[in-house]
Amino acid sequence: MSNNNNVKKTGTIRVQSQQKILAAARTEFVLQGYKGATVQSIADRAELPKANILYYFKNKENIYHAVLENTLEMWDEGIGDIDPSEGPRAAIEKFIDAKVRMSFKYPEASKIYAMEIIQGAQHLKEFARTYQRKWVREKAKLFQRWIDNGEMANVDPVHLIFLIWSATQHYADFETQILTIMNRADYEEDDVEQVIAFLSDLILRGCGLK
Amino acid sequence: MSNNNNVKKTGTIRVQSQQKILAAARTEFVLQGYKGATVQSIADRAELPKANILYYFKNKENIYHAVLENTLEMWDEGIGDIDPSEGPRAAIEKFIDAKVRMSFKYPEASKIYAMEIIQGAQHLKEFARTYQRKWVREKAKLFQRWIDNGEMANVDPVHLIFLIWSATQHYADFETQILTIMNRADYEEDDVEQVIAFLSDLILRGCGLK
DNA sequence: GTCTATATTGTGATAGAC
DNA sequence: GTCTATCACAATATAGAC
């Protein structure tokens, strides 16, 4: 009876703390890798005692799982879907647009994902096997139909998807290299639009759509 | 005097052991990350006692440095140079060809490199700042001249280089994902040629060269 | 729900016998 | 040059006081 009235308040602290922990963990996992990121370093970045981290997430692997899940949800939402009726040009344009904006907005999510794949995708083989494979096959079929109808050049649809993935994610994953080469400290407002314009232009022309 | 005659033999063992260690280390660093790869795991993979690893390389960081250097040398050699006199079409074709073959032949080198960049490139900022920046600016100038001469479409040369890098390295770095999506266990002979054909075709057309 | 203290394990690195 | 034994330390995770 004495603490019935602060259930909600407690819940808010819980959610806030978990969010802070996940954000801190994402950064640490990117900078130090899974093994290199210590629970202590995550705690320091989240400005919470180490024991609290383990109170909320039980162990380090659970934190990593939570971070990965979070990342995949983003991947899923951010891409949106392709509307078959709009034709190849609009479809590719929208797809590139969405992926580039995601890369610039959530570079850490892209990096976590990339590292996971590079290291063998131990934690998300199932995701690629089921969800992604299906997604790629569906979209590839759609592109193939457009090719068969003479609406775009005869390019391999699956490799086209890989090309768009790699070219767009590159701006998140290789941020450091790109900025160093361009002699800049950070990306600027214009960069997103410029990259979208460049990639849309080149890829659409490459697909015989310009 | 008693062991004068086996100096050469000893030297060979040294070189052989170092090569075995570097190969094992490269694999471990890719699979487990810098911190996750232990000296013991490298020793096990190289089939040598742990103490021998540290005898040859002093400490773990030195092993990693040696692996990185090795990787950069490959990057350097593999790409070759662009001959300004051969024109944009041959230049881009050769560049794509070289990069794709490298990716399929030395996927681990590409992966090590990618992880290093993603994590902030602490060990090779100098490399990007000096060598790579110069390389990109030189090549970009060359492309710009071709554009100004009307020999190719007006695409941003620096972003074109990024696109070719990302699209080609993708087949090494995201190997796991690509194979899973294509429902295959390994790459096959034909794959290299197919990827080269796809990328050359799309990018050349994208540059107005087809 | 928060935090301190600590048990336990594993790692990098060295000393020293062969 | 090779390898065994060991040290010093850092990490995860838990127990239990508040």
Side-chain angles (χ1 to χ4, degrees):
Chain A
M1 230 194 249
S2 63
N3 55 6
N4 246 1
N5 58 334
N6 61 6
V7 168
K8 199 182 167 185
K9 193 177 170 188
T10 311
T12 340
I13 288 181
R14 182 174 205 92
V15 172
Q16 280 179 346
S17 292
Q18 284 178 335
Q19 290 304 321
K20 271 211 304 201
I21 293 166
L22 284 178
R26 191 164 26 243
T27 305
E28 283 299 314
F29 283 134
V30 167
L31 291 175
Q32 314 289 342
Y34 176 76
K35 197 81 189 205
T38 68
V39 177
Q40 185 64 61
S41 71
I42 295 171
D44 290 347
R45 193 175 286 273
E47 293 178 299
L48 287 168
K50 182 174 79 158
N52 292 30
I53 311 293
L54 291 163
Y55 166 73
Y56 281 119
F57 284 94
K58 179 90 177 152
N59 59 39
K60 186 171 152 180
E61 223 200 318
N62 278 352
I63 306 175
Y64 185 67
H65 272 129
V67 167
L68 255 191
E69 250 173 61
N70 224 311
T71 305
L72 293 188
E73 275 170 33
M74 245 175 232
W75 197 90
D76 212 19
E77 287 170 21
I79 286 192
D81 218 0
I82 295 181
D83 177 2
S85 71
E86 61 192 355
R89 187 180 160 138
I92 291 172
E93 237 169 5
K94 269 194 192 171
F95 184 32
I96 291 171
D97 188 276
K99 284 286 289 179
V100 173
R101 284 187 203 284
M102 275 237 311
S103 279
F104 277 86
K105 197 164 178 187
Y106 308 107
E108 279 184 338
S110 185
K111 285 177 186 177
I112 287 266
Y113 184 78
M115 286 178 67
E116 177 62 24
I117 303 274
I118 292 174
Q119 301 202 348
Q122 293 306 327
H123 298 88
L124 36 80
K125 278 224 164 122
E126 212 44 43
F127 172 75
R129 200 182 333 270
T130 58
Y131 180 83
Q132 268 189 345
R133 192 187 287 169
K134 202 180 135 201
W135 191 92
V136 170
R137 295 213 171 153
E138 261 177 34
K139 303 316 167 204
K141 252 187 207 164
L142 196 52
F143 283 126
Q144 192 58 54
R145 223 175 300 146
W146 284 325
I147 292 168
D148 293 341
N149 284 347
E151 292 182 65
M152 60 183 281
N154 182 26
V155 296
D156 186 305
V158 173
H159 287 290
L160 176 61
I161 291 170
F162 292 157
L163 172 74
I164 295 174
W165 279 354
S166 64
T168 52
Q169 287 163 198
H170 189 70
Y171 289 91
D173 303 339
F174 285 67
E175 199 182 4
T176 315
Q177 185 184 57
I178 291 173
L179 288 173
T180 305
I181 286 175
M182 292 170 67
N183 197 17
R184 301 252 227 96
D186 293 288
Y187 285 134
E188 286 165 31
E189 293 278 330
D190 298 356
D191 290 332
V192 196
E193 312 298 336
Q194 226 180 306
V195 169
I196 291 173
F198 165 79
L199 287 176
S200 282
D201 181 54
L202 192 140
I203 294 172
L204 286 177
R205 197 177 313 114
C207 292
L209 291 166
K210 249 194 172 170
Chain B
M1 235 195 245
S2 64
N3 55 7
N4 247 1
N5 58 335
N6 61 5
V7 168
K8 200 182 168 183
K9 195 177 168 187
T10 310
T12 340
I13 289 181
R14 183 176 204 91
V15 171
Q16 280 179 348
S17 292
Q18 285 179 334
Q19 291 303 320
K20 272 210 306 201
I21 293 167
L22 285 177
R26 190 164 27 243
T27 305
E28 283 300 314
F29 284 133
V30 168
L31 290 175
Q32 313 290 342
Y34 177 74
K35 197 82 187 200
T38 68
V39 177
Q40 185 65 60
S41 71
I42 295 170
D44 290 348
R45 192 174 286 273
E47 293 178 299
L48 286 167
K50 183 173 80 158
N52 291 30
I53 311 293
L54 291 164
Y55 166 72
Y56 280 120
F57 284 95
K58 179 90 177 151
N59 59 39
K60 186 171 151 180
E61 223 200 318
N62 279 352
I63 306 176
Y64 185 67
H65 272 129
V67 167
L68 256 192
E69 249 172 62
N70 225 311
T71 304
L72 293 188
E73 274 169 34
M74 245 175 232
W75 197 91
D76 211 19
E77 287 170 21
I79 287 192
D81 219 1
I82 295 180
D83 177 3
S85 71
E86 61 192 358
R89 190 182 159 135
I92 291 172
E93 239 169 4
K94 271 194 190 171
F95 184 32
I96 292 172
D97 189 276
K99 284 286 288 177
V100 173
R101 285 187 202 285
M102 276 238 311
S103 279
F104 277 86
K105 196 163 179 189
Y106 308 108
E108 278 184 337
S110 185
K111 285 178 186 176
I112 287 266
Y113 184 78
M115 286 178 67
E116 176 63 24
I117 302 274
I118 292 173
Q119 300 203 348
Q122 293 304 328
H123 298 87
L124 38 79
K125 279 224 165 123
E126 212 44 44
F127 173 75
R129 200 182 333 270
T130 58
Y131 180 83
Q132 269 190 343
R133 191 186 288 169
K134 201 179 138 201
W135 191 92
V136 170
R137 295 213 172 156
E138 260 176 35
K139 303 317 168 204
K141 252 187 209 164
L142 195 52
F143 283 125
Q144 194 56 54
R145 226 174 300 146
W146 284 325
I147 292 168
D148 293 341
N149 284 345
E151 291 182 65
M152 60 183 282
N154 182 26
V155 296
D156 186 304
V158 173
H159 287 290
L160 177 60
I161 291 170
F162 292 157
L163 172 74
I164 296 174
W165 279 354
S166 65
T168 53
Q169 287 163 198
H170 190 70
Y171 289 90
D173 302 340
F174 285 66
E175 198 182 5
T176 315
Q177 186 184 56
I178 292 173
L179 288 172
T180 305
I181 286 175
M182 293 169 68
N183 197 18
R184 301 252 227 95
D186 293 288
Y187 285 134
E188 286 164 30
E189 292 278 329
D190 297 356
D191 291 331
V192 197
E193 312 297 336
Q194 227 180 305
V195 169
I196 291 172
F198 166 79
L199 288 177
S200 282
D201 181 53
L202 193 140
I203 293 172
L204 285 178
R205 198 178 312 112
C207 292
L209 291 166
K210 249 193 172 170

